[in-house]
């Protein structure tokens, strides 16, 4: 890849001189040019696939099961177990890689596809082999135009080297990999809407069951995994399940790309062992809150996860599925968004909920109508025009969206409000009683009627 195309700069200097972790997924930061096939192969690339095609497909599934690899798209479902749900026997089966990446605060897949495309293609191929599929699809968010170009070029390079197409590595197995550009809708990251969109239809979520493992793409058994999940797979096959499961915590194995953003000194993607603490990520590596301010709260795993206050207990929490759940939130997509103490929390919540209103696909009435109402009421609150009882009314409307729609977009919409209200109730009440913000640039200003 030409030097000027390396748009991701090297990682920012760390407070500690020693990198905390040897790059695996983000190896391109240590090995320039790894987007090219020859450089990728010289650094262990496609060794995982070479190992896989010498095994029986079931054995590959078992290696991934034993590694403890869990999905990186949000829910953390064990990858090997998901693959094992695909029925054996004749007939087409598909692998779909979810690179839609639209969750606010999440930008890891973007870096992975633009800089290390063969890692993902190898992961898709190994997954196809494991479920005896001959077709892998990588669904990429439409705005990632450069990533799509890079991936398409890499697929052609792999094809020319006999790694995609007919009789791969002399194994007798054939497999095609298709790069598909989405149209830039958050809902298309939801797995069933993604499948609809990939089939050329409007991206509406499907009613389940049936689940994709039974009737997915073109009503055939389908595995859907996130881009980072599948980018882990070559490492698992190349080094073995035992090696992989040495990293991480008891139930969350391996390494993970944490996306750090918001009011922090050094935002960016940080690849760390699963279970590293928030303190290490936000303070030691990220330099803490920017401009010498303090952290008021942070979102631990993309905007759909409840915010947390930076108490000592929370900051020392290992970033894994169980650790974060024990603090009342979720690991989600590992997008950590820092909010500083000069931020009006009501304004921040309004901005987040506006995203869900914009992105609600409109299929389910509670989500389509409810997100509109949430935004209208939060606008009123933000602008000092709320009445007594409005906080309860907002909670009530949110409660009528969650659990009442086809997909989890509706469940996510009230999350910023509910979690912020628990932590900062007095700030919300201040907007009602004082008709202005408690902190931030608009604090103390008369807001009603002037927006
Ligand atoms: C509204 C919505 C948006 C989603 N967006 C994404 C996304 O951009 N990328 C992703 O991998 N998963 C996304 N998911 C989760 C997927 O539905 C699915 O769980 C995931 O792709 C499974 O992959 P994994 O098992 O490897 O995590 C989204 C879910 C919802 C409800």
């Amino acid at each position: 890849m030409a030097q000027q195309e390396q748009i991701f700069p090297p990682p920012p200097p760390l407070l500690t001189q020693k990198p905390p972790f040897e790059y695996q997924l983000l190896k391109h930061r240590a090995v320039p040019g790894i987007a090219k096939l020859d450089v990728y192969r010289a650094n262990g690339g496609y060794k995982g696939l070479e190992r896989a095609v010498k095994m029986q497909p079931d054995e590959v599934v078992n290696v991934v099961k034993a590694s403890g690899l869990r999905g990186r798209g949000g829910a953390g479902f064990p990858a090997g177990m998901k693959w094992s749900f695909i029925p054996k026997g004749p007939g087409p089966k598909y692998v779909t890689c979810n690179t839609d990446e639209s969750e606010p605060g999440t930008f890891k897949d973007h870096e992975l596809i633009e800089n290390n495309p063969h890692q993902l293609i190898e992961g898709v191929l190994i997954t196809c082999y494991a479920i005896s599929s001959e077709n892998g699809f990588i669904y990429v968010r439409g705005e990632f135009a450069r990533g799509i170009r890079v991936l398409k070029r890499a697929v052609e390079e792999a094809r020319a080297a006999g790694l995609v197409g007919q009789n791969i590595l002399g194994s007798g197995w054939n497999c095609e990999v298709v790069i598909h550009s989405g149209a830039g809708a958050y809902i298309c990251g939801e797995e069933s809407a993604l499948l609809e969109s990939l089939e050329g239809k409007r991206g509406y979520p499907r009613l389940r069951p049936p689940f994709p493992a039974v009737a997915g793409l073109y009503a055939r058994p389908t595995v859907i995994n996130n881009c980072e999940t599948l980018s882990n797979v070559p490492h698992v096959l190349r080094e073995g399940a035992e090696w992989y499961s040495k990293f991480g915590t008891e139930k969350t194995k391996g390494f993970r790309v944490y996306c750090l953003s918001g009011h922090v000194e050094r935002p960016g993607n940080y690849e760390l062992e699963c279970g590293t603490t928030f303190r290490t990520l936000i303070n030691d590596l990220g330099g803490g809150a920017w401009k010498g301010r303090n952290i008021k709260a942070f979102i631990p795993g993309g905007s759909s996860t409840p915010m947390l206050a930076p108490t000592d207990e929370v900051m020392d929490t290992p970033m894994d599925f169980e650790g974060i759940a024990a603090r009342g939130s979720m690991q989600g997509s590992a997008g950590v968004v820092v909010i500083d103490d000069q931020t009006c929390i009501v304004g921040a919540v309004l901005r987040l909920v506006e995203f869900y209103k914009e992105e609600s696909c409109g299929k389910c009435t509670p989500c389509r109508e409810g997100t509109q109402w949430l935004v209208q009421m939060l606008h009123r609150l933000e602008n000092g025009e709320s009445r007594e009882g409005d906080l309860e009314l907002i909670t009530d409307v949110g409660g009528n969206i969650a659990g009442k729609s086809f997909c989890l977009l509706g469940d996510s919409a009230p999350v910023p409000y509910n979690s912020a209200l628990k932590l900062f109730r007095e700030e919300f009440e201040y907007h009602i009683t004082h008709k202005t913000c408690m902190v931030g640039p608009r604090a103390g200003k008369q807001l009603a009627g002037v927006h």
Side-chain angles (χ1 to χ4, degrees):
M1 179 183 289
Q3 197 55 41
Q4 69 270 23
E5 285 202 358
Q6 267 316 176
I7 63 162
F8 277 97
L14 305 174
L15 286 186
T16 47
Q17 287 302 308
K18 206 168 141 290
F21 184 76
E22 195 188 331
Y23 290 125
Q24 302 289 335
L25 297 167
L26 301 184
K27 212 172 200 163
H28 53 273
R29 291 182 174 188
V31 183
I34 204 162
K36 279 195 205 142
L37 183 61
D38 54 346
V39 181
Y40 182 69
R41 289 191 100 168
N43 284 277
Y46 289 104
K47 287 262 181 310
L49 180 65
E50 284 169 22
R51 295 234 161 102
V53 296
K54 287 185 189 129
M55 298 179 190
Q56 289 303 312
D58 269 358
E59 287 178 78
V60 178
V61 174
N62 288 337
V63 170
V64 175
K65 264 190 188 167
S67 74
L69 172 63
R70 292 171 68 174
R72 306 303 200 222
F77 196 83
M81 193 187 294
K82 187 183 270 190
W83 302 0
S84 70
F85 296 154
I86 298 294
K88 315 264 176 296
K93 294 153 196 163
Y94 301 115
V95 170
T96 309
C97 172
N98 190 344
T99 312
D100 194 56
E101 190 164 67
S102 314
E103 176 82 357
T106 313
F107 40 87
K108 61 198 171 60
D109 299 346
H110 191 180
E111 177 168 357
L112 289 171
I113 57 165
E114 288 197 346
N115 294 284
N116 207 346
H118 284 290
Q119 176 175 251
L120 175 60
I121 293 165
E122 185 182 359
V124 170
L125 287 164
I126 294 169
T127 313
C128 284
Y129 182 80
I131 64 156
S132 303
S133 163
E134 297 193 342
N135 294 93
F137 296 85
I138 304 179
Y139 186 102
V140 187
R141 176 180 172 166
E143 289 95 330
F144 293 170
R146 183 171 177 275
I148 292 167
R149 257 196 340 267
V150 171
L151 277 171
K152 283 187 173 167
R153 192 167 54 195
V155 168
E156 288 321 308
E157 252 190 318
R159 185 191 307 286
L163 297 159
V164 167
Q166 303 288 307
N167 191 22
I168 292 171
L169 293 165
S171 63
W173 163 66
N174 310 325
C175 192
E176 286 300 325
V177 176
V178 172
I179 311 301
H180 182 90
S181 167
Y186 176 60
I187 192 62
C188 290
E190 193 284 325
E191 58 183 28
S192 66
L194 183 152
L195 294 175
E196 287 285 293
S197 171
L198 194 52
E199 289 179 4
K201 299 180 222 149
R202 189 181 177 126
Y204 272 159
R206 294 176 179 171
L207 184 62
R208 278 148 290 186
F211 290 95
V214 176
L217 189 62
Y218 307 118
R220 302 297 312 175
T222 302
V223 158
I224 306 184
N225 275 125
N226 165 259
C227 166
E228 186 188 348
T229 313
L230 295 183
S231 295
N232 271 273
V233 170
H235 301 279
V236 172
L237 266 291
R238 189 187 66 243
E239 304 293 338
E242 205 180 311
W243 171 83
Y244 188 84
S245 61
K246 278 189 196 139
F247 298 100
T249 58
E250 193 195 337
K251 292 188 179 156
T252 307
K253 299 293 185 193
F255 17 88
R256 178 135 210 193
V257 183
Y258 296 95
C259 320
L260 182 63
S261 69
H263 303 151
V264 67
E265 282 291 341
R266 285 189 290 275
N269 281 327
Y270 290 88
E271 182 178 0
L272 301 167
E273 202 174 334
C274 292
T276 305
T277 63
F278 284 115
R279 192 183 298 285
T280 301
L281 175 70
I282 299 174
N283 286 350
D284 299 348
L285 303 173
W290 67 355
K291 302 179 182 173
R293 295 181 187 168
N294 294 312
I295 301 171
K296 176 174 191 157
F298 65 88
I299 298 170
S303 63
S304 306
T305 61
M307 4 183 130
L308 295 168
T311 59
D312 278 347
E313 200 186 36
V314 165
M315 294 302 278
D316 290 325
T317 298
M319 293 186 287
D320 64 8
F321 292 101
E322 286 68 33
I324 302 178
R327 300 280 169 253
S329 190
M330 289 183 283
Q331 165 97 100
S333 58
V336 178
V337 185
V338 174
I339 300 170
D340 78 19
D341 58 358
Q342 296 300 304
T343 307
C344 166
I345 205 72
V346 178
V349 165
L350 168 62
R351 186 69 199 90
L352 288 162
V353 179
E354 273 176 332
F355 171 80
Y356 291 99
K357 186 210 100 181
E358 277 304 308
E359 296 295 337
S360 173
C361 75
K363 179 166 181 171
C364 311
T365 310
C367 176
R368 185 185 64 239
E369 301 298 316
T371 51
Q372 299 268 3
W373 284 111
L374 281 184
V375 165
Q376 281 187 31
M377 286 187 292
L378 284 165
H379 255 298
R380 214 158 72 189
L381 186 65
E382 155 82 340
N383 291 319
E385 295 166 348
S386 271
R387 298 181 288 261
E388 284 297 323
D390 269 10
L391 298 185
E392 291 65 34
L393 191 58
I394 298 172
T395 307
D396 187 53
V397 170
N400 279 306
I401 306 173
K404 296 180 173 66
S405 305
F406 273 38
C407 86
L408 291 176
L409 192 152
D411 290 53
S412 303
V415 166
Y417 174 77
N418 290 341
S419 59
L421 188 68
K422 241 187 238 163
L423 296 172
F424 306 105
R425 190 173 182 103
E426 74 288 357
E427 233 186 286
F428 286 85
E429 285 171 349
Y430 194 93
H431 272 255
I432 299 178
T433 50
H434 293 77
K435 313 217 169 296
T436 185
C437 306
M438 199 174 184
V439 291
R442 306 204 307 165
K445 292 188 182 142
Q446 183 58 41
L447 303 176
V450 296
H451 47 91

